[in-house]
Amino acid sequence: MNTAELLAQVRQRNPHEPEFLQAAQEVIESIAPVFEKHPEFARLKILERMLEPERMISFRVTWQDDRGEVHVNRGYRVQMNSAIGPYKGGLRFHPSVNASVLKFLAFEQIFKNALTGVPMGGGKGGSDFDPKGKSDNEVMHFCQAFMSELARHISHRMDVPAGDIGVGAREIGYMFGAYKKIKNEFTGVFTGKGIGWGGSLIRTEATGYGLIYFAENMLQAKGDSIKGKTCLVSGSGNVAQYAIEKIIHLGGKAVTASDSNGFIYDENGITQEKLEFIKDLKNNRRGRIQEYAEKFTCSYTATDPNADHNPLWSVPAQCAFPCATQNELNGKDAKNLIQNGVKLVAEGANMPTTIEGINAFIDQGVLYAPGKASNAGGVATSGLEMTQNYMGANWSREEVDARLRSIMKDIHEASLKAAQKFGKPDNYLVGANIAGFIKVANAMQAQGVI
Ligand code: NDP
Ligand code: 2IT
């Protein structure tokens, strides 16, 4: 395979899709060594096929707000790859959602889901709808309108959505309810469901907990641990909240949290009690993180999305966990972290680090984990929720948590092993991309040219 030619072809084919091209470039460049050992993958154009969605649906969503005003949004589902299982991946509701963002997320999901060891293909969907500032009633009407179209394209054996940015327990409830009404069937067509109606214990916590389990595995491989380490976390949503909780459990000190307006820096560390305040603030009252600084008297810094760096990453720390959104940590931020002696960076968000930032970490020997490995605990536990739904079973908290831990350990080992085998020891980016790719490539080869 000629890397430069393939990249040029993908660029020509997907103009105006910078996020998708970024995700594609990262994978194409890092898995190049595979093709020397497996020329058949090049001949069968396996990677070219993975870069083209199997199917992509875009639809109009029309709904009325509380004043009766009509709104038109755009809904999507990208069904990227079903070689190893039903399409699986979250739904994102955020004004920045477009085809490029969802294609990058669906593409990443192929490799991430393969790494979990649970049979799931890759997909992603969502809408440019902004739940911020909307009433519960408006969110419900939007979710029902969205599902009135999406329902005909998904099913529990073919495509199983879940949450992502802007889609949490409330939205999944409304969408699941709408699906059930339209289809007249009670199936596990969503994951992240409520515990009383088919959900799995630990799914809410899984991405953040899994991230910190993964980081602990990385540190342990170097004879170290998270205990006593100062940790930066960005975001204050689902992933950030449970990353902070697990850092606390393991004896680390999380000192930051953020939202799209700014970040708090609590030098004394976010305790469990302070974290409960964040959970209530973000999940129930839907307020801004600035309130934390007022309540617990610590520093708050407003951030400018157009600035050339994010001052959160200038806070001195040994570990950093970006858990908000894509490209929130650039080359300059990476330099600031490195200058302050960062040892480990593990991604809770999808593609939060730019390619320049990743290269800076790898060049400087910082332990760096790409999201598709370190944030796979969420979708892995979604896979466990699907398994429980198929079996009609409810596993205990301890059982699901033990499985999550063991899956994260396996992903860690598989990534290290592949990195070693392909001549890039300790490079989790290369290791995770190659391990995920080979699994899906083998399935595609076996299933013929389709
Ligand atoms: P939430 O909606 O719960 O939280 C998102 C957080 O990120 C909020 O604090 C939000 O701030 C902030 N944020 C979102 N967009 C931006 C932006 N453009 N600029 C700055 N801050 C922003 O989402 P999740 O916690 O579920 O998701 C966070 C990340 O983790 C995403 O990249 C997602 O794809 C990834 N992920 C999520 C998984 C899951 O199971 N939920 C699994 C694996 C990965 P504000 O409130 O101001 O918008
Ligand atoms: O990015 C992700 O892996 C998720 N948002 C979770 C997907 C899922 O299906 O649980």
Side-chain angles (χ1 to χ4, degrees):
M1 187 198 64
N2 182 324
T3 305
E5 260 175 36
L6 179 56
L7 253 172
Q9 183 193 316
V10 177
R11 285 202 184 104
Q12 192 241 330
R13 221 175 193 183
N14 303 277
H16 319 302
E17 295 192 353
E19 293 86 0
F20 177 60
L21 292 174
Q22 183 182 337
Q25 182 184 341
E26 180 217 285
V27 169
I28 292 171
E29 287 176 348
S30 65
I31 68 172
V34 172
F35 294 90
E36 284 155 33
K37 284 202 167 82
H38 294 278
E40 72 279 14
F41 291 159
R43 184 172 45 81
L44 291 167
K45 296 216 164 48
I46 297 285
L47 185 52
E48 287 86 338
R49 282 194 252 168
M50 284 183 192
L51 285 157
E52 196 61 35
E54 287 180 13
R55 188 179 301 106
M56 192 169 159
I57 301 137
S58 157
F59 51 95
R60 186 179 72 206
V61 186
T62 318
W63 60 283
Q64 270 178 305
D65 68 20
D66 290 345
R67 287 168 297 130
E69 193 183 323
V70 174
H71 296 267
V72 181
N73 283 101
R74 192 172 288 171
Y76 301 88
R77 187 74 182 161
V78 183
Q79 298 180 331
M80 203 76 186
N81 192 296
S82 61
I84 63 167
Y87 308 109
K88 182 81 195 90
L91 295 171
R92 177 177 291 191
F93 292 169
H94 193 272
S96 63
V97 162
N98 57 33
S100 170
V101 167
L102 294 180
K103 277 172 67 182
F104 114 65
L105 288 162
F107 182 65
E108 295 271 298
Q109 204 83 42
I110 303 175
F111 305 95
K112 184 195 308 195
N113 294 4
L115 285 169
T116 66
V118 185
M120 298 178 289
K124 201 87 187 191
S127 172
D128 58 0
F129 172 74
D130 186 359
K132 239 180 247 151
K134 305 288 190 302
S135 70
D136 282 354
N137 193 50
E138 288 170 333
V139 170
M140 181 178 77
H141 282 131
F142 174 80
C143 288
Q144 290 172 343
F146 181 81
M147 195 45 65
S148 69
E149 174 64 32
L150 188 66
R152 54 185 121 225
H153 307 292
I154 60 175
S155 88
H156 71 136
R157 294 284 187 186
M158 192 267 286
D159 186 355
V160 183
D164 194 79
I165 291 176
V167 178
R170 173 181 63 170
E171 291 74 17
I172 288 176
Y174 293 148
M175 286 190 275
F176 178 79
Y179 181 88
K180 183 161 60 66
K181 170 101 180 155
I182 294 164
K183 295 281 185 160
N184 197 27
E185 57 182 37
F186 196 113
T187 55
V189 72
F190 264 89
T191 59
K193 299 186 291 299
I195 299 306
W197 40 279
S200 172
L201 288 162
I202 301 285
R203 174 62 189 91
T204 309
E205 295 89 336
T207 311
Y209 278 17
L211 169 67
I212 305 303
Y213 292 151
F214 194 91
E216 187 73 339
N217 284 318
M218 294 168 81
L219 288 165
Q220 274 171 1
K222 297 282 171 203
D224 204 347
S225 87
I226 217 160
K227 196 164 182 205
K229 299 259 183 321
T230 300
C231 302
L232 306 181
V233 175
S234 65
S236 51
N238 174 268
V239 180
Q241 290 168 18
Y242 290 97
I244 294 172
E245 187 158 284
K246 193 48 76 178
I247 291 170
I248 299 172
H249 289 173
L250 297 186
K253 184 161 99 167
V255 293
T256 59
S258 69
D259 60 23
S260 46
N261 296 107
F263 74 94
I264 59 108
Y265 173 32
D266 186 344
E267 258 181 292
N268 299 321
I270 302 173
T271 58
Q272 187 69 42
E273 186 197 340
K274 292 172 177 176
L275 177 62
E276 293 308 320
F277 174 85
I278 297 182
K279 288 184 191 169
D280 181 53
L281 173 71
K282 287 292 172 183
N283 309 347
N284 303 324
R285 294 192 287 121
R286 299 180 193 275
R288 310 310 298 159
I289 199 69
Q290 184 168 11
E291 269 192 50
Y292 178 105
E294 288 152 14
K295 167 105 180 158
F296 300 113
T297 0
C298 71
S299 102
Y300 172 77
T301 309
T303 46
D304 170 5
N306 299 315
D308 68 349
H309 75 293
N310 179 348
L312 190 158
W313 306 120
S314 300
V315 175
Q318 288 101 42
C319 302
F321 300 102
C323 296
T325 193
Q326 63 270 10
N327 293 329
E328 55 165 318
L329 197 169
N330 64 21
K332 199 161 178 187
D333 298 318
K335 261 194 209 126
N336 287 335
L337 283 165
I338 292 164
Q339 251 168 24
N340 284 325
V342 78
K343 298 221 150 17
L344 172 144
V345 178
E347 298 181 340
N350 287 307
M351 206 171 74
T353 313
T354 62
I355 291 184
E356 207 189 343
I358 296 174
N359 290 338
F361 291 139
I362 292 175
D363 289 349
Q364 293 300 312
V366 173
L367 289 172
Y368 162 78
K372 56 171 83 69
S374 51
N375 75 32
V379 75
T381 308
S382 280
L384 301 178
E385 180 173 333
M386 288 163 74
T387 307
Q388 291 169 78
N389 291 164
Y390 293 150
M391 295 166 65
N394 288 308
W395 295 337
S396 68
R397 251 187 105 75
E398 292 68 30
E399 162 116 41
V400 183
D401 194 35
R403 285 177 188 257
L404 169 63
R405 259 177 217 263
S406 126
I407 291 173
M408 297 316 292
K409 188 160 177 276
D410 291 349
I411 298 176
H412 178 263
E413 268 167 30
S415 305
L416 271 190
K417 217 166 130 190
Q420 177 80 33
K421 183 170 170 194
F422 286 88
K424 299 271 182 184
D426 279 350
N427 187 325
Y428 288 89
L429 178 75
V430 167
N433 282 339
I434 290 184
F437 173 79
I438 288 180
K439 180 164 181 197
V440 181
N442 283 334
M444 289 174 72
Q445 182 182 8
Q447 291 170 24
V449 178
I450 48 167

